[in-house]
Amino acid sequence: MESNQHATRPNVVLILVDDMGYSDIGCYGSEIHTPNLDRLANRGVRFSQMYNCARCCPTRASLLTGLYPHQAGIGNMVGDMGVGPAYQGYLRDDCVTLAEVLGAAGYRTLMSGKWHVGGGYAANHPETWAPGTKPYPIPTQRGFDEYYGMLSGGGSYFNPPYMMRGERLVYPAGPDYYLTDDISEQAVRMIRETARETAGATPPAGGAIDGEKQPFFLYVAYTAPHWPLHAMPEDIARYEGRYRQGWDALRSARHEELKGLGVLDPKWPISPRDEKAPPFDDLDPARRDWEDLRMAVYAAQVDRMDQGVGRILDELRRLRIEDDTIVMFLSDNGGCAEFLAEDTNKPEPFRYNIPTWDGRPMTVGNIPGLRPGSDTTFMSYDLPWANASNSPFRMFKHWVHEGGISTPFIVHWPAGLGTQPRMCHSQAHVMDIMATLVEVTGAPYPQEHHGTAIQPLEGESFLPALRGSSWQRERPLFWEHHGNRAVRDGQWKLVQKEGAPWELHEMEADRTEVNDLAAAEPGRAQDLHAMYDEWARRCGVLTHEEIRAIRQAKR
């Protein structure tokens, strides 16, 4: 098999984290202690221009299917908007998941963590859930042999409303429970049990290669570091006091480190502090202490996630399969600027977990002076710190400027790529992961699944880039989320924040999007706009006005 030069097909471990910014891990400029991810990067390939889809569930839909989110059925969020298949709010039948593709090729398919691309009935009505309840599919109905995790978007790390093991609801919370550890431990268990069960086993239809053991695909989807700010006391203690210099100093320090590491071009200036973020030095001392603590808890959540990655890597090493396992790591969107007010309705989707596991009340809101981190609080780290997480870029999760869609991306596969560290500056997108794994594993991408014609892949394999060859995507990239729109064609990017004028940026000179050339290059802007409009028609993308009109007509 030309795409895989080894006697056995590699195992695949795909790790996705939630709401983590571009510069939040050590190998991308952070001061946060992430030795396990740093080790992967120091023996693997780092991408400087990997893109996601700006929000959790659209990114997950694109990652799992190799399509744009609208083509996968989640053009907006989970939950049916009533305006057609692009916005149905769960995975469409005319797409296939990585689990379905790799499973058909003989892989054992496993998942630990956050689903958030369906399962809406169980997520919203756990008290009446029964196996097979329709209409929204859960992981075991979309190709995963084994699943443990949550169907919804998140919640308390100490007392999640419920978890699901296969098609059965479980309630694991207790005095020593922490969600990130649970996801990590279940992933380790799946690797261990699969290695034991499949030792010497021949894969099902899809075929063995020279009598190989059955390979596995493991999707680990952490909720960390998504709000609420919940972390273990020992992890918080490691960072408390480290952020008293504030977000301005942190942004600058990370920008300098990114340039020093060779991740970003030194000619790109840091974007200005977001206009909604005050200068840190203007805050009174008590507020500065509280802000330091908020960022410390966030850092602790990232740290704990890295510890979990370390446990997964240790298990691969213990089983002597680390070299033959391709590990990929990325984030679903940029840092999250959402503010949780005392009267917020944000916890409403997580209403089943507002009390603690033993019934103590939870105080909701970013309340200055209230210490974050424990199970009796429900806070976010807010816009100014998210601005630092996304250093040196503009904007945040939800928007499609670079701060919302840029993700760290690490690929580690010693047997296939060697262990010399490399930096890849080619543009890539989460939907390219499906195409790449199809080529790496030799798994055929189907034209039909369960009697339904399947959309062709939108993603493009970046395997040549992993192997050190020159590689560029053949087709432009497009984004749309909540009216925020963008197209990138080569070095040119046209981007619009909803309600604002289109901006044009020449990315080779201006990756941080500080120099708008729309007025100076009107023809180029018009050409890119026309490309965007053609893509939107092809993929069923609608404007807010079109969505409102369709919904009103149905009333």
Side-chain angles (χ1 to χ4, degrees), residues 24 133 269 271 281 288 363 396 462 500 515:
D24 274 333
T133 304
S271 62
D281 291 343
R288 278 181 249 165
T363 301
F396 315 92
F462 50 73
N515 185 23

Side-chain angles (χ1 to χ4, degrees), residues 275-326:
E275 60 185 14
K276 295 181 180 178
F280 192 80
D281 291 343
D282 287 356
L283 305 179
D284 65 63
R287 180 62 180 256
R288 278 181 249 165
D289 288 344
W290 180 70
E291 292 288 1
D292 161 75
L293 184 55
R294 282 208 290 176
M295 186 61 194
V297 177
Y298 177 87
Q301 291 177 283
V302 175
D303 187 315
R304 196 73 168 200
M305 172 274 297
D306 181 82
Q307 294 175 45
V309 171
R311 287 197 285 276
I312 293 168
L313 299 179
D314 288 346
E315 186 64 19
L316 296 175
R317 194 176 306 115
R318 188 188 71 82
L319 294 168
R320 299 182 180 178
I321 56 175
E322 181 183 31
D323 285 357
D324 289 316
T325 299
I326 182 168

Side-chain angles (χ1 to χ4, degrees), residues 192-209:
R192 182 182 305 121
E193 292 180 357
T194 298
R196 182 169 62 243
E197 291 170 6
T198 63
T202 299
I209 298 176

Side-chain angles (χ1 to χ4, degrees), residues 246-262:
W247 40 73
D248 298 312
L250 186 63
R251 293 185 74 234
S252 295
R254 289 187 176 188
H255 182 220
E256 291 303 313
E257 188 67 16
L258 281 162
K259 293 188 293 184
L261 290 169

Side-chain angles (χ1 to χ4, degrees), residues 138-208:
I138 63 174
T140 54
Q141 296 166 333
R142 291 307 308 245
F144 285 96
D145 297 319
E146 184 174 358
Y147 172 63
Y148 179 88
M150 62 169 53
L151 301 178
S152 62
S156 171
Y157 287 74
F158 298 107
N159 184 32
Y162 66 89
M163 302 292 279
M164 182 166 276
R165 187 184 298 278
E167 298 189 352
R168 180 171 59 89
L169 300 182
V170 294
Y171 300 86
D176 300 317
Y177 183 85
Y178 188 66
L179 178 59
T180 303
D181 290 346
D182 193 14
I183 292 171
S184 301
E185 289 160 9
Q186 294 294 331
V188 169
R189 176 190 60 78
M190 290 177 186
I191 294 171
R192 182 182 305 121
E193 292 180 357
T194 298
R196 182 169 62 243
E197 291 170 6
T198 63
T202 299

